[in-house]
Amino acid sequence: MQRRSRLLLGLSFALIMGSALPARASQVVWSGLVIANNVAQPEAIPPELNRFEGTLKELFGYNQFRVIGQSRKTLVTGSEDWLASSKYFSLHVDSKGGTDAGYLLNLKLFQEKNLLLETEAKLSKASPLVIKGPLVGDGQLLLLLVVQ
Amino acid sequence: MKTFEEKWTAWLDDELTGDELAEFEASLPDKAAAAAEKRDAHKLGAFLKEQLQGRAMGNEEFFHHQLRERIERDARAGVAEGKADSPRAWWPIGRLVWVGATSLAIFCVCTFFVMRERGPAEQSQYLSQILTARVDPVVSPNATISMFESKKDRVTVLWVDGLQSLPSEYATK
């Protein structure tokens, strides 16, 4: 009897803990360096930006969004770092850890070896992050991070 | 009409009399051998009767007493076992209540800790957040930083103005 009661208690405790503690699966974070500009014949928008194309056009006033550098990183532990780079720009992303809400990131935008911008951000799984960078020619450099 | 075997058995048991006895004895081929066989049969009969008689029990009362005691003891044990088995087949109400209360208490404690842990993160559950941002004041002395959220697609924007403009060749891959 004693043994059975201990077994039942253990089982119920395990069930409670199992439902209380979230299971964290690995997720992919897409990071992109995008040049936005206005052209007569715009290219198709990259598939990673499809779901918020309207918002991008509305916010920045451009009709074309072209990826010049990108990285697709699978986060397993949530504490990883990676680089998305083009010929002149590079975005260094350092993930400091993941929670249920998303990932805590340190972002650094470099123009060649010059640090242009540094920011700390919480990237939510349901909410993309857009950073307006410097003007480049007749367009604008944008940095985008999306949890896929 | 009796067969020879029947008459032989009856002769061995001394059950033949009169003419029947005389006639049977006359029919025997070797009367001396038959008489010897009859004696042996009588001896064997007496021996078996003596050996197969039941032995009288010296301590009959004591044996009966022991037997009755054993039967009563077994009967009492059987009743006690039956009583013990039926209610203990499942947990008594008291123990079920105790286990239920303990499980509920464990659940409440776990829920409290989980909710406390999730509380501060609630705000950023659905929207990304910019915590800090800075530009190099030497490279971009006129830069300004602002941040906002577009509720439409839940896009969080870090808006940086005043960064040094770059020529179009910087737009290459």
Side-chain angles (χ1 to χ4, degrees):
Chain A
M1 281 299 160
Q2 284 283 68
R3 205 171 151 189
R4 192 160 63 173
S5 65
R6 277 184 201 148
L7 191 72
L8 266 173
L9 269 178
L11 188 67
S12 35
F13 186 72
L15 281 172
I16 289 166
M17 291 310 288
S19 64
L21 297 176
R24 186 170 295 149
S26 60
Q27 284 182 305
V28 176
V29 175
W30 181 82
S31 322
L33 299 162
V34 175
I35 291 290
N37 58 354
N38 281 316
V39 290
Q41 299 287 324
E43 294 174 12
I45 195 156
E48 290 82 5
L49 312 182
N50 257 338
R51 66 185 166 106
F52 50 103
E53 178 185 1
T55 303
L56 288 177
K57 285 180 175 173
E58 196 179 302
L59 283 175
F60 297 102
Y62 295 108
N63 66 3
Q64 176 178 266
F65 296 87
R66 191 166 49 89
V67 176
I68 58 168
Q70 63 178 315
S71 167
R72 189 171 275 106
K73 178 72 177 177
T74 303
L75 296 186
V76 180
T77 63
S79 299
E80 288 112 331
D81 69 311
W82 63 96
L83 196 68
S85 53
S86 66
K87 188 173 178 184
Y88 294 102
F89 296 106
S90 56
L91 173 65
H92 178 253
V93 186
D94 186 8
S95 175
K96 307 277 190 188
T99 64
D100 279 350
Y103 299 98
L104 179 63
L105 305 178
N106 175 260
L107 306 168
K108 285 177 184 166
L109 173 64
F110 291 91
Q111 176 214 318
E112 296 174 299
K113 289 186 178 174
N114 299 323
L115 177 64
L116 292 184
L117 171 70
E118 182 175 7
T119 181
E120 295 265 345
K122 271 185 186 173
L123 179 64
S124 165
K125 290 165 188 174
S127 165
L129 189 63
V130 180
I131 298 170
K132 183 185 173 221
L135 290 166
V136 179
D138 62 345
Q140 180 89 53
L141 175 69
L142 301 178
L143 313 174
L144 288 107
L145 287 108
V146 182
V147 180
Q148 293 183 316
Chain B
M1 176 96 180
K2 287 181 179 173
T3 62
F4 177 78
E5 284 75 20
E6 286 171 333
K7 286 179 182 169
W8 170 258
T9 307
W11 180 72
L12 285 180
D13 294 340
D14 292 327
E15 287 173 358
L16 290 181
T17 53
D19 292 343
E20 201 178 15
L21 175 63
E23 191 182 331
F24 178 74
E25 284 180 344
S27 70
L28 290 172
D30 186 351
K31 196 176 174 183
E37 202 167 329
K38 187 177 180 178
R39 274 197 306 278
D40 289 345
H42 280 174
K43 273 186 194 172
L44 180 63
F47 174 77
L48 288 176
K49 202 177 277 180
E50 183 188 324
Q51 291 301 318
L52 293 180
Q53 238 177 7
R55 287 193 310 179
M57 189 176 285
N59 50 357
E60 187 179 357
E61 272 306 309
F62 175 73
F63 176 76
H64 284 162
H65 175 74
Q66 290 284 87
L67 198 60
R68 276 198 302 274
E69 282 269 298
R70 180 67 185 269
I71 289 167
E72 280 169 18
R73 202 165 51 234
D74 286 354
R76 275 199 303 271
V79 168
E81 244 175 52
K83 275 182 186 170
D85 275 352
S86 52
R88 292 176 77 86
W90 185 234
W91 281 5
I93 298 295
R95 188 172 291 177
L96 277 174
V97 169
W98 183 84
V99 169
T102 309
S103 304
L104 197 64
I106 292 170
F107 177 77
C108 289
V109 168
C110 292
T111 307
F112 171 73
F113 282 112
V114 168
M115 293 309 285
R116 199 176 63 165
E117 191 180 311
R118 283 185 179 177
E122 209 68 53
Q123 195 187 349
S124 60
Q125 188 78 34
Y126 300 110
L127 282 171
S128 293
Q129 281 182 300
I130 305 292
L131 304 175
T132 62
R134 68 178 190 89
V135 293
D136 188 338
V138 177
V139 178
S140 309
N142 301 319
T144 58
I145 293 171
S146 58
M147 49 198 88
F148 58 89
E149 289 144 0
S150 164
K151 301 289 179 195
K152 189 180 162 191
D153 289 321
R154 291 186 294 197
V155 175
T156 298
V157 182
L158 175 62
W159 195 276
V160 185
D161 275 325
L163 289 172
Q164 189 186 4
S165 297
L166 299 163
S168 59
E169 67 188 68
Y170 279 80
T172 50
K173 287 189 181 180

